[in-house]
Amino acid sequence: MKKQYFLWMLLLVGILFSVSNTQVNAQASAITFTQSKDKVKVGKTIQFQAAADDNSPVTYSVSDEKIATITANGKLTGKKIGSVKVTAQSGDATVTKKVNVVAKKIVCLDPGHTSKMSGGTEPIGPGAKTRKAKDAIGTRGVVSKTYEYQFTLTLAKQIKPLLEKKGYKVILTRKNSKRALSCKKRATIANKAKADIFTRIHVDAASSGSARGASALYPSSSNKYNGKLSKKCKKLSKCVLNNMCDEAGTYNRGLFVRNDLTGNNWATMPVTLIEVGFMTNPTEDRLLNKKSYQKKLAKGIVAGIDEYFGYK
């Protein structure tokens, strides 16, 4: 009996020792992040660091390398808007953290005009007594018979994925032509989205069919509604217009100051209105309706936005 009791005691001690040793090993292989973040912008890099209690080597990985990549020493780079799980591993021990990859900038694109008219008038700027029509139908191609609102939406939808591919978040003031949208409302959409820039896309018209080329309109420094943004608006206008004209081979008519544009005046961020060409010019009207030419315009506008933000 005493012998059996002694054997049972030895077995119990062995079990307790084994459990204790397992706990020590588990504690020894524990790993924690000593440096981490939960957000990174597309194109930016942040540092992750993790340490194991037993000082064993640490390896890093991410759940989706299309969204972000991470190096052997823990430098994570945002590639695409989305979220990933970062894992640090040492032996059998792991620690994870969710990281959101966010847009490097927010761009609001405003395809000018629409098929439905708002009707009535609205103040041309915050607190203004002067009022203008909420919107107009816009121009129409003399050859193509394409309406301006149709073209501007087509072009905006080509620009959007190009910007998104580069890591921008893109807001469209409209996705179809089925509802009325005043100029003030367009700017309000950009303001509520906290856009970094507001790029308005239009097509020009003239009584003469010989008028040609592209231009950009922006508020002056004396504009009482957002004149403090004039310098940035001018820079944005210049970057977008020059790059677009260079890419598409469009005649560059230059920059023009306008303080009577409601959509510009209500914007609380740098704004430009780009007139991409004249639909009243038969040659330009034909060009504007060619997909190959539209692709060049879109590519140039994206390059201009990149240059404005310093990504070029």
Side-chain angles (χ1 to χ4, degrees):
M1 189 69 178
K2 288 183 179 180
K3 185 176 181 180
Q4 288 181 331
Y5 176 77
F6 181 72
L7 290 173
W8 277 109
M9 287 298 293
L10 284 176
L11 180 61
L12 179 61
V13 170
I15 291 171
L16 290 173
F17 179 78
S18 176
V19 170
S20 176
N21 192 49
T22 300
Q23 289 176 340
V24 170
N25 288 339
Q27 291 175 354
S29 62
I31 183 174
T32 56
F33 279 119
T34 58
Q35 184 174 325
S36 66
K37 292 183 179 180
D38 57 11
K39 184 170 69 175
V40 63
K41 288 185 177 182
V42 172
K44 295 295 183 179
T45 299
I46 54 177
Q47 180 69 56
F48 278 80
Q49 290 181 355
D53 286 356
D54 60 358
N55 294 319
S56 57
V58 177
T59 58
Y60 300 89
S61 62
V62 291
S63 57
D64 190 340
E65 291 191 344
K66 291 182 180 179
I67 294 175
T69 58
I70 196 164
T71 63
N73 62 350
K75 287 185 177 181
L76 181 140
T77 302
K79 294 292 184 182
K80 180 181 176 182
I81 297 172
S83 62
V84 294
K85 182 173 70 173
V86 177
T87 300
Q89 184 170 0
S90 179
D92 294 331
T94 61
V95 61
T96 62
K97 187 173 185 65
K98 181 182 177 182
V99 179
N100 293 315
V101 182
V102 299
K104 56 185 181 183
K105 296 291 181 181
I106 301 174
V107 175
C108 184
L109 296 177
D110 177 31
H113 304 292
T114 186
S115 65
K116 305 293 183 181
M117 294 298 97
S118 298
T121 63
E122 61 188 356
I124 66 168
K129 293 182 180 179
T130 303
R131 302 176 71 89
K132 285 180 64 176
K134 291 182 177 181
D135 195 11
I137 195 69
T139 189
R140 192 181 187 188
V142 292
V143 176
S144 68
K145 304 305 178 183
T146 300
Y147 281 101
E148 180 177 357
Y149 65 80
Q150 294 173 316
F151 170 83
T152 57
L153 185 59
T154 297
L155 184 58
K157 287 183 175 181
Q158 291 186 49
I159 297 168
K160 185 175 184 285
L162 297 180
L163 287 171
E164 289 175 335
K165 189 175 181 180
K166 285 177 168 284
Y168 293 96
K169 180 179 179 181
V170 182
I171 307 296
L172 292 181
T173 57
R174 65 183 181 93
K175 297 179 181 179
N176 57 59
S177 301
K178 296 178 181 179
R179 67 187 182 96
L181 192 63
S182 78
C183 293
K184 176 185 172 182
K185 178 62 177 177
R186 294 167 188 270
T188 301
I189 291 171
N191 295 342
K192 287 184 177 180
K194 296 182 180 179
D196 293 288
I197 60 170
F198 185 31
T199 302
R200 307 179 65 203
I201 304 166
H202 282 253
V203 187
D204 227 333
S207 57
S208 170
S210 62
R212 67 187 181 96
S215 60
L217 316 179
Y218 70 98
S220 73
S221 59
S222 62
N223 185 303
K224 60 183 178 181
Y225 309 112
N226 55 9
K228 62 183 179 180
L229 295 171
S230 179
K231 189 174 181 179
K232 291 181 178 180
C233 293
K234 183 177 181 179
K235 178 185 176 182
L236 175 62
S237 300
K238 184 177 180 181
C239 288
V240 173
L241 180 64
N242 288 355
N243 277 275
M244 184 190 76
C245 289
D246 288 347
E247 181 65 36
T250 309
Y251 172 64
N252 191 333
R253 298 179 65 234
L255 309 180
F256 295 89
V257 169
R258 288 283 296 272
N259 292 327
D260 62 335
L261 301 177
T262 307
N264 282 14
N265 292 343
W266 280 93
T268 58
M269 73 290 296
V271 57
T272 185
L273 188 153
I274 303 295
E275 300 278 11
V276 300
F278 282 82
M279 277 188 159
T280 48
N281 181 307
T283 301
E284 286 198 344
D285 182 33
R286 292 187 185 95
L287 267 178
L288 290 168
N289 283 278
K290 287 185 176 181
K291 290 187 179 297
S292 58
Y293 188 70
Q294 292 171 3
K295 287 181 179 180
K296 291 178 181 179
L297 291 174
K299 185 179 178 181
I301 289 171
V302 171
I305 290 172
D306 261 349
E307 183 179 348
Y308 173 77
F309 286 120
Y311 295 127
K312 189 175 181 180

